[in-house]
């Protein structure tokens, strides 16, 4: 037997080649291929609404399992509890900027900063035909840009620091719609300095969470919507900055998840939900894909 290039093939080799050809032919005919199609890329859901709530300055073990935090502890048990979640840095403000824009914007303290012209989650959502509103407790007026007023502080309110986020997207918590169907695509809820546990105790913050989040969460389970609860930073400055981060909603498979999560990965996941490009350091990570049920719209 001769090969296609004209060189002679030994009889034994010719036999092996014929056998291999027949095996391949049989596989093609019967459909019993030994290779499989590559798995479909991991997906994230597209919730109708996402509400992100950020609390303040508590280590994870100060919250979950604490008798003073029964609501947040129960929330973690019914949702996805990320047991290796971390903030980016200290103090507060750079973490909020990281979560909102994928970068700390060069900010390393809590002083009034901005405005920055850089893209952020809000500007991305609007460009994609979606909507965004930030609701801050005790914000004295829509679009207020002052550094503080009573228990409201700008350092916990990142969208006010970006020139491409309209003033009307910066609203008091009292403007939260009574009908959750009127919520924007993504909204942030920022408690005041007492209710976020910065100035008051864990029990006070947990009580606020029950009062302000439970109604939305109950509604979300019938309306394809998601609740995200996280913290800006841990209280212990010398530790690993581990914080509570929980997802809850009808598309979430409850359980504890030991993968590492940080503010950049949270942002990346929100971006993936709505087909948005990663910004800054959110491009250095992957969205969270393993906590969702099979029904990912």
């Amino acid at each position: 037997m001769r090969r296609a290039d004209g060189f002679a093939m030994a009889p034994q080799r010719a036999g092996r080649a014929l056998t291999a050809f027949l095996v391949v032919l049989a596989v093609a005919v019967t459909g019993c291929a030994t290779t499989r199609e590559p798995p479909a890329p991991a997906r994230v859901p597209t919730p109708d609404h996402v509400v992100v709530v950020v609390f303040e300055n508590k280590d994870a073990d100060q919250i979950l399992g604490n008798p003073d935090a029964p609501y947040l502890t129960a929330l973690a048990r019914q949702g996805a509890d990320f047991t290796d979640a971390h903030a980016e840095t200290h103090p507060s403000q750079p973490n909020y900027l990281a979560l909102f824009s994928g970068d700390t914007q060069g900010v390393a303290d809590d002083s009034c900063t901005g405005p920055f012209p850089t893209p952020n989650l809000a500007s991305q959502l609007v460009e994609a035909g979606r909507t965004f509103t930030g609701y801050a407790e005790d914000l004295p007026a829509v679009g207020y840009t002052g550094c503080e007023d009573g228990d409201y502080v700008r350092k916990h309110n990142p969208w006010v620091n970006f020139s491409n986020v309209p003033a009307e997207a910066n609203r008091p918590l009292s403007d939260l719609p009574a009908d959750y169907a009127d919520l924007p695509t993504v909204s942030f809820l920022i408690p005041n300095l007492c209710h976020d546990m910065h100035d008051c105790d864990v029990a006070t913050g947990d009580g606020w969470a029950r009062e302000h989040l439970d109604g939305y969460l109950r509604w979300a389970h019938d309306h394809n919507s998601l609740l995200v609860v996280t913290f800006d930073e841990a209280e212990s400055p010398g530790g690993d900055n581990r914080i509570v981060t929980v997802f809850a909603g009808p598309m979430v498979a409850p359980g504890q998840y030991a993968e590492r999560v940080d503010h950049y990965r949270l942002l990346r996941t929100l971006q993936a939900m709505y087909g948005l490009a990663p910004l800054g350091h959110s491009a250095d990570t992957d969205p969270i894909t393993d906590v969702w049920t099979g029904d990912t719209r």
Side-chain angles (χ1 to χ4, degrees):
M1 180 178 292
R2 287 190 174 272
R3 300 190 318 215
D5 61 5
F7 288 94
M9 183 181 293
Q12 296 90 341
R13 294 176 62 193
R16 288 196 298 268
L18 179 61
T19 301
F21 171 77
L22 293 175
V23 169
V24 170
L25 180 62
V27 167
V29 171
T30 63
C32 299
T34 56
T35 58
R36 297 286 184 265
E37 289 294 321
R43 296 180 58 198
V44 297
T46 302
D48 293 343
H49 305 276
V50 179
V51 171
V52 181
V53 186
V54 187
F55 290 96
E56 277 276 318
N57 293 37
K58 289 291 178 286
D59 300 349
D61 58 9
Q62 291 178 288
I63 302 298
L64 301 188
N66 185 340
D68 289 336
Y71 181 75
L72 291 176
T73 298
L75 181 67
R77 289 173 179 162
Q78 66 177 286
D81 172 17
F82 295 98
T83 60
D84 194 25
H86 301 262
E88 306 304 323
T89 187
H90 296 285
S92 293
Q93 185 165 233
N95 292 295
Y96 285 90
L97 294 169
L99 175 58
F100 188 67
S101 70
D103 196 272
T104 62
Q105 305 299 328
V107 175
D109 58 28
D110 285 336
S111 61
C112 272
T113 190
F116 305 111
T118 47
N120 53 74
L121 179 60
S123 66
Q124 283 190 300
L125 287 164
V126 171
E127 288 174 6
R130 306 282 184 170
T131 51
F132 171 86
T133 302
Y135 298 97
E137 189 174 25
D138 292 345
L139 184 79
V142 174
Y144 178 75
T145 59
C147 295
E148 59 184 281
D149 189 279
D151 280 341
Y152 164 80
V153 287
R154 175 170 164 162
K155 65 183 180 180
H156 296 166
N157 190 5
W159 42 90
V160 73
N161 296 315
F162 291 84
S163 58
N164 51 12
V165 179
E168 57 267 26
N170 180 29
R171 309 191 74 86
L173 182 61
S174 56
D175 285 355
L176 192 75
D179 184 349
Y180 296 126
D182 294 330
L183 282 166
T185 309
V186 177
S187 53
F188 275 54
L189 271 58
I190 304 297
N192 66 24
L193 281 172
C194 177
H195 296 143
D196 65 8
M197 308 184 212
H198 185 284
D199 289 354
C200 295
D201 59 19
V202 169
T204 298
D206 190 77
W208 184 94
R210 179 186 296 277
E211 179 181 353
H212 288 83
L213 306 183
D214 196 55
Y216 168 75
L217 183 57
R218 293 175 185 275
W219 178 89
H221 274 283
D222 295 322
H223 295 87
N224 186 42
S225 295
L226 176 68
L227 174 65
V228 176
V229 172
T230 190
F231 281 68
D232 69 326
E233 60 177 327
E235 184 175 51
S236 303
D240 61 358
N241 222 350
R242 193 167 74 86
I243 55 174
V244 169
T245 297
V246 174
F247 288 1
M251 67 290 293
V252 176
Q256 290 187 321
Y257 295 84
E259 65 199 271
R260 185 179 175 91
V261 171
D262 57 22
H263 294 317
Y264 294 132
R265 196 166 185 216
L266 288 184
L267 174 60
R268 183 70 186 91
T269 304
L270 294 172
Q271 291 165 327
M273 288 175 175
Y274 302 105
L276 308 177
L279 294 174
H281 295 292
S282 71
D284 300 333
T285 187
D286 295 319
I288 297 165
T289 59
D290 59 342
V291 305
W292 314 113
T293 62
D295 181 18
T296 54
R297 302 188 198 181

